[in-house]
Amino acid sequence: MGFTMGLNLLLLVAMVATNILSLYHLSSNIQSKPPVAPPVPDHLLHQLQTIRATINHLTRLQPPAPPSAKAKKSTVTIPSDLLLYTHLSPIASSCKDNPDLLHQYMSYTPFSLCPSDSSVAESLILRGCHPLPRRRCFSRTPSSIPTSLPKTPFSTIPEKALLWNSYTCKSFSCLSRSNPNLGFDMKVEQSRFLDFKSDLDLPIPQFLQLTKTSKSVIRLALDIGGGTGTFAAQMKLHNVTVVTTTMNLGAPYSETVALRGLVPLHVPLQQRLPVFDGVLDLVRCGHAVNRWIPVTMMEFLLFDVDRVLRAGGYLWLDHFFSKRADLEKVFQPLIWKLNYKKVKWAVANKNDASGVKNGEVYLTALLQKPLSR
């Protein structure tokens, strides 16, 4: 009681002092003409700022008045974490570095259909603007809805279930003709990750046999840069749940993953993995993880993988490519920083035109996180 009265008295004295100083300043500078306010002296500004800061500090220290018996019945306590979230802006700080793209993305009519601007969203995300700012518009849907969806991850995908206006190709057959390796031909995808053609390959049956031998259990996995989700589809047949990260770079990868009955995560490589610590049995890195990633970002990615893997979990680098000199001097020491057990480590020449021209090699590695540290 005495503490509260003392604080109230001190606040009253501070407020009176503020008013006296303000009246003193005004009375000392009254002029008949011209009626232009003179500049406030620095020493007075400093004193006012000090008094206001004191008032704010004392106000925070002052305990709240106890509610009356009647108020106690109707008062609803708001969780502190909910109050905290209301002050956090759901937009990445990097968005401000791309004002033109951000303005284009946010130029829409509220409470109407969203613009067909998925390419703008992709451009922003790739530039680090992730998460994107929220919008109050309605997502677009296809003009005709298919009567049924695929029952298995390798069934034919109905083309009418997608919006094609953002892409050059308007069908899966067009995408497959342009590049059979894009992952849109289910007849081709059905045999992927099952055959052993070179030391760089690690067929899923062989991988599961290795984990069984080491008495490891594989239940949950993350496929980074997983394209149309074929790795997740094959693992689903073995009762393993795999979430696929993918981007829609020129083709409907995310929609295709979802139509196959799998889970796509629309996140870029520079994004912190949206998974809690130590919960995954396996993280696979596909072709999206390669030498074009800046070394610093690659290091953060590897340590983020370590964060989400449980003890004894596996990191699978599948056909990682780089220049041979860079692999030996840069990426190999970077990978070995993790101190993982080497289960498989295979290096071979990348024999396509780009590989021959740049002296590139492939690396396939299966590494196991230590059981204890």
Side-chain angles (χ1 to χ4, degrees):
M1 182 69 178
F3 174 74
T4 303
M5 290 183 63
L7 280 176
N8 289 333
L9 182 59
L10 187 55
L11 286 170
L12 179 61
V13 171
M15 292 174 65
V16 170
T18 304
N19 291 333
I20 291 174
L21 285 171
S22 300
L23 288 171
Y24 167 76
H25 172 68
L26 291 173
S27 62
S28 63
N29 290 285
I30 294 177
Q31 298 177 5
S32 57
K33 57 179 178 181
V36 179
V40 181
D42 291 339
H43 71 278
L44 183 57
L45 283 175
H46 179 70
Q47 291 172 354
L48 291 173
Q49 290 170 356
T50 303
I51 293 173
R52 287 168 182 158
T54 304
I55 292 174
N56 291 333
H57 179 66
L58 291 174
T59 303
R60 288 196 300 269
L61 291 178
Q62 185 176 5
S68 62
K70 184 177 181 180
K72 284 182 178 179
K73 296 181 181 179
S74 60
T75 300
V76 178
T77 303
I78 301 177
S80 58
D81 55 347
L82 182 59
L83 290 174
L84 174 64
Y85 297 152
T86 62
H87 294 286
L88 296 180
S89 176
I91 179 174
S93 59
S94 297
C95 294
K96 64 179 175 57
D97 299 330
N98 303 276
D100 293 338
L101 281 173
L102 186 60
H103 174 73
Q104 185 178 351
Y105 180 75
M106 295 303 293
S107 296
Y108 70 98
T109 304
F111 312 114
S112 63
L113 281 178
C114 295
S116 299
D117 57 357
S118 59
S119 60
V120 178
E122 295 281 324
S123 298
L124 279 169
I125 292 174
L126 291 174
R127 287 164 172 79
C129 181
H130 188 273
L132 291 168
R134 293 175 176 177
R135 301 192 297 190
R136 293 173 298 169
C137 57
F138 300 108
S139 61
R140 293 177 177 270
T141 57
S143 56
S144 59
I145 305 299
T147 55
S148 63
L149 294 175
K151 295 182 179 180
T152 69
F154 294 102
S155 301
T156 302
I157 302 175
E159 296 181 343
K160 292 182 179 180
L162 281 80
L163 292 171
W164 291 95
N165 55 325
S166 298
Y167 310 112
T168 303
C169 277
K170 307 300 180 183
S171 65
F172 290 123
S173 57
C174 172
L175 290 168
S176 299
R177 285 195 303 271
S178 63
N179 187 344
N181 297 321
L182 289 179
F184 294 98
D185 188 342
M186 294 300 108
K187 294 180 181 179
V188 174
E189 298 305 294
Q190 197 162 7
S191 62
R192 286 191 62 200
F193 301 105
L194 300 179
D195 300 328
F196 184 90
K197 299 177 182 178
S198 72
D199 289 339
L200 292 171
D201 296 319
L202 180 57
I204 286 177
Q206 182 184 355
F207 165 72
L208 294 176
Q209 183 60 43
L210 286 171
T211 60
K212 184 179 180 180
T213 302
S214 62
K215 298 181 179 179
S216 299
V217 178
I218 305 298
R219 306 154 302 154
L220 301 173
L222 180 68
D223 190 15
I224 299 178
T228 60
T230 297
F231 179 76
Q234 295 286 12
M235 294 293 278
K236 184 177 182 179
L237 302 179
H238 297 274
N239 295 321
V240 179
T241 301
V242 179
V243 177
T244 303
T245 74
T246 187
M247 295 288 292
N248 283 18
L249 301 178
Y253 290 100
S254 296
E255 300 97 312
T256 302
V257 173
L259 285 171
R260 299 177 75 178
L262 308 168
V263 181
L265 286 180
H266 191 217
V267 295
L269 293 175
Q270 66 265 37
Q271 169 73 19
R272 184 179 188 267
L273 298 175
V275 182
F276 193 71
D277 300 0
V279 296
L280 296 180
D281 305 309
L282 167 68
V283 174
R284 174 185 171 271
C285 298
H287 282 186
V289 181
N290 55 62
R291 74 180 183 94
W292 297 113
I293 301 176
V295 175
T296 301
M297 196 180 81
M298 181 71 178
E299 184 175 31
F300 274 108
L301 174 62
L302 289 175
F303 277 89
D304 203 28
V305 168
D306 177 77
R307 177 185 63 81
V308 301
L309 279 176
R310 65 169 178 81
Y314 292 89
L315 166 60
W316 181 351
L317 293 171
D318 194 357
H319 284 72
F320 172 87
F321 70 87
S322 72
K323 294 182 178 181
R324 182 178 291 275
D326 291 340
L327 177 62
E328 296 173 354
K329 296 179 181 179
V330 179
F331 296 110
Q332 182 172 298
L334 193 62
I335 296 168
W336 286 353
K337 283 183 180 180
L338 297 175
N339 293 319
Y340 281 17
K341 176 184 177 182
K342 191 190 302 181
V343 180
K344 178 182 177 70
W345 187 277
V347 179
N349 291 330
K350 186 170 179 282
N351 293 321
D352 59 9
S354 174
V356 173
K357 178 181 178 181
N358 297 306
E360 293 173 333
V361 295
Y362 278 124
L363 164 68
T364 292
L366 182 65
L367 308 168
Q368 186 177 22
K369 183 176 179 177
L371 291 173
S372 62
R373 281 177 173 160

